[in-house]
Amino acid sequence: MYRRLYTSLSHTTPFLSLPFLPKPPTLLSLLAKPQNLSTRLLFTSAAKMADAQKSHPIPALEKASKSELLRALESSLRTTFSSDSICPSPNPLIIVISGPSGVGKDAVIRKLREARENLHFVVTATSRGMRPGEVDGKDYFFVSKEEFLSMVEKNELLEYALVYGEYKGIPKKQIREYMAKGYDIVLRVDIQGAQTLRKILKDSAVFLFLVAESELALVERLIERKTESKEELLVRVATAREEVRHVKNFDYVVVNAQGKLDDAARLVGSIIDAEKARVRQRSAVI
Ligand SMILES: Nc1ncnc2c1ncn2[C@@H]1O[C@H](COP(=O)(O)OP(=O)(O)OP(=O)(O)O)[C@@H](O)[C@H]1O
């Protein structure tokens, strides 16, 4: 092709001797020198290796021990092999788990807590009453409305919201303390909270959206939980329908299908593992 272009140009435009166009390479010149940069580099480093081998011969592989071979390789390369980690340790990660009411956020987090270490599950402060089985300081910090508003006043919360008539908010202090110790942070928020956190944290945190396999499954789950009044149930179901549209603002979507809680928790764990292996790490500052 190159030869054809060169020939046709020099034939059709005789007044142009085309000094800017180099002559096509001859077969001999092709054989004589390496053509591209990588071949040339290979050639050069192979030549260097051959020199090094002459001055520091590497013993026969079948006769030398591993440490003899290591020493010989080191002296050939004129450097020692470092046992330092090749990759720096990953940054502490902030994982935001959200989804419609009753989808299983608490249930998935409970499973995750059993299965993984080095995760800190931020305990949210709330002004709502305690549900049966909940423990203060473990499930939530249950505070009065006045106490909650005082925390807001002192700028102690990363984000807060009024949800179904009750306040919920994330204390900053806990996040800072645990991130300083190298823990990954799990935040459990409703969709409204996730939207606010996205604005504050942008891409420095990873956002997971939990969904049921269908709208029907979600409603059945809420009915079976038996923690809502008729009126609350209606509001939550209507809200959930609207909330599913927000999935596009999240990084990952995890289906928590009926009876498949373990699978959902495992998938969340795999997402955390993948995030820890990212080349460009997220870096959150609170
Ligand atoms: N995969 C699942 N299969 C069956 N039941 C489930 C599954 N996941 C959660 N549940 C049950 O569904 C109900 C709602 O779950 P959970 O309380 O964890 O939801 P939530 O998203 O935290 O709700 P809210 O935002 O209202 O607090 C609970 O009774 C829980 O045990």
Side-chain angles (χ1 to χ4, degrees):
M1 158 97 174
Y2 182 91
R3 183 178 289 280
R4 192 138 30 98
L5 177 72
Y6 183 88
T7 322
S8 74
L9 275 175
S10 43
H11 275 255
T12 52
T13 52
F15 54 92
L16 268 178
S17 61
L18 301 177
F20 55 88
L21 208 62
K23 288 214 152 86
T26 62
L27 181 61
L28 204 64
S29 71
L30 274 171
L31 288 173
K33 55 180 178 186
Q35 282 308 293
N36 58 37
L37 185 64
S38 62
T39 329
R40 229 175 299 145
L41 283 176
L42 208 66
F43 185 79
T44 320
S45 62
K48 275 194 190 153
M49 290 293 154
D51 282 351
Q53 277 230 39
K54 265 183 233 155
S55 47
H56 306 275
I58 295 172
L61 296 187
E62 57 287 358
K63 289 194 187 135
S65 66
K66 185 166 78 181
S67 65
E68 283 169 333
L69 278 168
L70 273 172
R71 258 178 278 125
L73 286 168
E74 283 182 334
S75 64
S76 286
L77 295 168
R78 294 194 183 92
T79 176
T80 52
F81 297 126
S82 166
S83 58
D84 291 349
S85 170
I86 290 172
C87 299
S89 32
N91 293 341
L93 189 66
I94 296 186
I95 304 124
V96 179
I97 300 185
S98 190
S101 179
V103 73
K105 297 182 288 294
D106 279 340
V108 165
I109 285 175
R110 227 171 282 134
K111 283 275 165 200
L112 212 57
R113 200 190 276 266
E114 286 165 18
R116 295 183 73 99
E117 291 173 349
N118 274 352
L119 285 183
H120 175 68
F121 299 86
V122 173
V123 183
T124 308
T126 181
S127 64
R128 84 150 160 78
M130 226 186 281
R131 285 178 190 153
E134 284 181 334
V135 179
D136 184 27
K138 185 169 168 271
D139 299 293
Y140 289 93
F141 284 117
F142 294 97
V143 294
S144 67
K145 275 197 176 141
E146 293 69 35
E147 283 170 312
F148 194 97
L149 292 172
S150 148
M151 292 167 92
V152 174
E153 192 89 336
K154 291 188 212 148
N155 193 24
E156 289 176 0
L157 301 173
L158 177 62
E159 85 66 48
Y160 74 96
L162 192 60
V163 186
Y164 305 116
E166 298 292 353
Y167 286 108
K168 277 186 181 179
I170 302 165
K172 287 185 194 169
K173 192 163 161 251
Q174 252 183 82
I175 303 182
R176 289 188 184 133
E177 280 175 6
Y178 278 89
M179 280 180 85
K181 290 190 227 167
Y183 280 75
D184 295 321
I185 305 293
V186 178
L187 296 173
R188 173 229 189 277
V189 286
D190 54 39
I191 311 278
Q192 193 187 333
Q195 278 180 298
T196 312
L197 284 178
R198 183 58 114 181
K199 283 190 197 127
I200 299 168
L201 299 171
K202 310 213 163 50
D203 276 342
S204 72
V206 54
F207 287 75
L208 268 68
F209 192 90
L210 214 58
V211 287
E213 66 276 43
S214 68
E215 194 176 56
L216 177 64
L218 176 68
V219 178
E220 283 179 346
R221 221 170 278 172
L222 264 176
I223 292 171
E224 280 161 21
R225 187 167 72 175
K226 297 190 175 79
T227 52
E228 276 75 33
S229 64
K230 285 182 289 183
E231 295 75 22
E232 282 170 343
L233 202 55
L234 191 63
V235 175
R236 285 182 189 238
V237 170
T239 312
R241 192 169 258 191
E242 203 276 319
E243 285 176 335
V244 172
R245 300 204 188 102
H246 293 277
V247 65
K248 59 182 182 303
N249 300 324
F250 286 74
D251 300 306
Y252 298 93
V253 59
V254 172
V255 178
N256 178 28
Q258 189 64 23
K260 299 276 173 66
L261 181 61
D262 283 343
D263 290 352
R266 234 188 327 268
L267 180 52
V268 174
S270 303
I271 291 169
I272 296 172
D273 288 337
E275 284 285 330
K276 304 296 285 178
R278 273 171 70 114
V279 174
R280 279 174 217 84
Q281 290 276 306
R282 299 178 197 265
S283 161
V285 181
I286 300 295

